[in-house]
Amino acid sequence: MAEDGSIAPVRDHLLRERRSLLDLSTRNRLLNTPVGHTRARTVEILGASAEAVFGDLLHGRSLAFQPVRDEAEAGAAELAPESAARSDRLQTRLTAEALQKRLLDVWYDAVSFEEEQGVNILYLAVGLLRWFDDDKAETPRHAPLVLLPVQLERANAAERFRLRARAEPPSPNLTLQAKLKAEFGLDLEDFADEDEVDLPAYFAHAREVVAGMPRWEILPDAMVLGFFSFAKFLMYRDLDPDTWPAENRLDRRRLIAALLQNGFEASEPLIADEAGPIDGALPPVAQSHVLDADSSQTVAIAEAVRGRDLVIKGPPGTGKSQTITNIIASAVAEGRTVLFVAEKMAALDVVHRRLQQVGLGPLALELHSHKANKKSLLAELARTRDAGRAAETDGAA
C-alpha cells in the first residue's frame, strides 16, 4: 500500500522488492575480500605480475602453486624476493601442508556447488581496490576489480593442483560498481572490450575514478583465488524496468502485475475434477506426449500448453520431470518456445536427458554452467543447424 492507502504502482513495488537482492554491505566478499589472512578460505597470490598471470591463464596455460617454507614466513607481511621468484608458479603465503588442504577444500566446494547449482563461483580476483568506509575508518577494505573464472585441476589424487582459466570471459566487479555509484557517486565503467581486456588501461581508469578519495588505492598486482557470487546482482540488474524495451516493459507484464499487485484471476479448469474419464475432452490421438502420462498429468500438460498459469506439486517419484518433458514437447509441437529454469542443475539434467532419449535433444539449447560460455553456445547452435540440414536431405531423398 502507498502512504495514502491506495495500492502502490507495480513499478514501485518491483523496485522495492528488487532492492532486497542487493547486498552492498561489507559482509559481501565482492566488497570486502580477506587479504593477509591464512585462515580465510581463499588463496592469496604474492609477488607476481597480475598482467602476466592474467595473460598466461587466458592463453590456456595452467599454473602451479608455490608454498612458503615455514610458519614464520607464512605470517610475514611481505615475503622475501627469492620466495616469489618462480615465474611458473603462483606464490602463496601458506605452508605446503596448509596449501594442499586449502586447495582440496576449495576444489571440493567449487565442484559441489557447480554440480548442485549449475554455476561456477570460483574466480581469480585480479587487482584490488583498497578502500575505506569513511574518512575516519581505520580498517581498510579490499574489493576485486577484475574477476577471471577459473578451475582447479589435477590428473589424480597424487598430483598437485594447478590453476586454469575456464572458457568464460572475465568480468568487472558489478557489485563494486553499484557500491561506488550508490554511496560515493563514483562511476566505474565496464571493460572497453570484453574479448580483449586491457588490464593496465582498466586499472588506470579505476585509479582516475577513485583519485579524489583519501587513502584509497589501486593494487594492480594483488590477486586472490576465492569464491565470489554476483548472481543476485545480475538478477537485480535484470529486474530494472528501465532496461527493458519500451514496448515490452517489465512492470507492465501481466504476470508481474499479478504477482506483485493484482493477484491471479480465477479461471475455469479445462476439465473439472469430478468430470470422470477425460478421453472425450482430450482424445489421446490429439496429444503430443513423448512419455507416458496419467490422466492428471495429461490435464496439467494441456492446461500449460493452452497458456493457463498453474503450480504443479508432488513428492519425489510422482512424475514431475516426466510431465515437464511432455509440456515442453507439446508446446514445441504447437510452435512455441519454452524457457525451462530450475534452481538445481539436477532438475535441468534429468529433463534434458529425457528429451535426448526421445530424440528431441537437438531442440534443446543448454545455457547453464560450462554450457553457457560463448564457445559451447556456438558449437551447440552449429550442431543443431547441421542436424536440421541432415534431416532435410534425408526427407528429400
Side-chain angles (χ1 to χ4, degrees), residues 221-243:
D221 287 325
M223 289 177 283
V224 179
L225 174 68
F227 295 109
F228 301 93
S229 177
F230 42 85
K232 286 187 176 181
F233 182 80
L234 294 176
M235 293 173 61
Y236 172 84
R237 264 203 333 194
D238 288 343
L239 291 175
D240 181 358
D242 294 333
T243 63

Side-chain angles (χ1 to χ4, degrees), residues 63-330:
L63 301 176
F65 296 88
Q66 178 72 31
V68 292
R69 291 170 295 192
D70 50 43
E71 292 286 351
E73 191 175 30
E78 297 292 339
L79 297 182
E82 62 270 17
S83 299
R86 293 286 300 274
S87 60
D88 60 335
R89 295 191 178 186
L90 301 173
Q91 177 64 53
T92 72
R93 61 170 74 252
L94 298 170
T95 62
E97 182 178 356
L99 175 61
Q100 292 311 306
K101 182 180 186 306
R102 178 68 50 78
L103 292 175
L104 180 62
D105 289 342
V106 170
W107 171 81
Y108 179 80
D109 287 348
V111 171
S112 298
F113 191 91
E114 185 164 2
E115 288 179 347
E116 182 176 342
Q117 301 292 335
V119 294
N120 171 63
I121 60 171
L122 182 62
Y123 291 85
L124 179 67
V126 183
L128 298 178
L129 167 65
R130 176 182 289 157
W131 64 281
F132 293 84
D133 294 302
D134 53 52
D135 293 342
K136 297 180 181 179
E138 297 182 359
T139 303
R141 315 288 189 183
H142 296 85
L145 290 168
V146 177
L147 293 155
L148 179 65
V150 294
Q151 61 189 19
L152 291 172
E153 61 180 24
R154 60 178 179 177
N156 54 62
E159 295 287 335
R160 300 292 185 179
F161 282 105
R162 299 181 70 88
L163 186 70
R164 185 183 296 276
R166 297 169 65 98
E168 303 167 21
S171 170
N173 188 340
L174 303 175
T175 303
L176 176 61
Q177 291 177 349
K179 175 82 169 182
L180 295 179
K181 179 67 174 179
E183 299 185 12
F184 299 99
L186 303 175
D187 288 311
L188 182 61
E189 299 176 358
D190 289 338
F191 302 144
D193 184 352
E194 183 187 79
D195 295 324
E196 295 290 339
V197 177
D198 186 337
L199 274 188
Y202 188 70
F203 292 155
H205 161 64
R207 195 172 289 111
E208 291 178 2
V209 170
V210 304
M213 305 299 294
R215 299 182 295 162
W216 287 30
E217 184 181 0
I218 301 297
L219 308 176
D221 287 325
M223 289 177 283
V224 179
L225 174 68
F227 295 109
F228 301 93
S229 177
F230 42 85
K232 286 187 176 181
F233 182 80
L234 294 176
M235 293 173 61
Y236 172 84
R237 264 203 333 194
D238 288 343
L239 291 175
D240 181 358
D242 294 333
T243 63
W244 287 64
E247 68 278 7
N248 196 22
R249 287 278 296 273
L250 179 64
D251 52 332
R252 297 174 185 169
R253 301 293 293 263
R254 179 183 63 83
L255 289 179
I256 298 297
L259 283 169
L260 299 182
Q261 186 182 75
N262 303 327
F264 292 90
E265 295 181 3
S267 60
E268 290 296 323
L270 188 63
I271 298 176
D273 291 339
E274 65 278 3
I278 66 171
D279 288 355
L282 297 173
V285 70
Q287 308 308 312
S288 300
H289 299 174
V290 294
L291 296 172
D292 292 341
D294 62 24
S295 59
S296 64
Q297 293 168 344
T298 297
V299 173
I301 294 164
E303 294 276 26
V305 172
R306 77 167 185 165
R308 187 182 184 194
D309 305 315
L310 69 158
V311 175
I312 301 174
K313 297 177 62 177
T318 53
K320 293 189 297 298
S321 63
Q322 188 170 312
T323 301
I324 293 171
T325 304
N326 277 326
I327 289 174
I328 293 174
S330 299

Side-chain angles (χ1 to χ4, degrees), residues 9 50 194 246 276 338 340 397:
E194 183 187 79
V338 181
F340 177 43

Side-chain angles (χ1 to χ4, degrees), residues 352-370:
H352 184 245
R353 188 164 59 249
R354 288 182 181 276
L355 288 171
Q356 288 179 315
Q357 289 170 348
V358 296
L360 298 182
L363 297 180
L365 177 62
E366 293 184 273
L367 289 174
H368 61 85
S369 62
H370 61 281

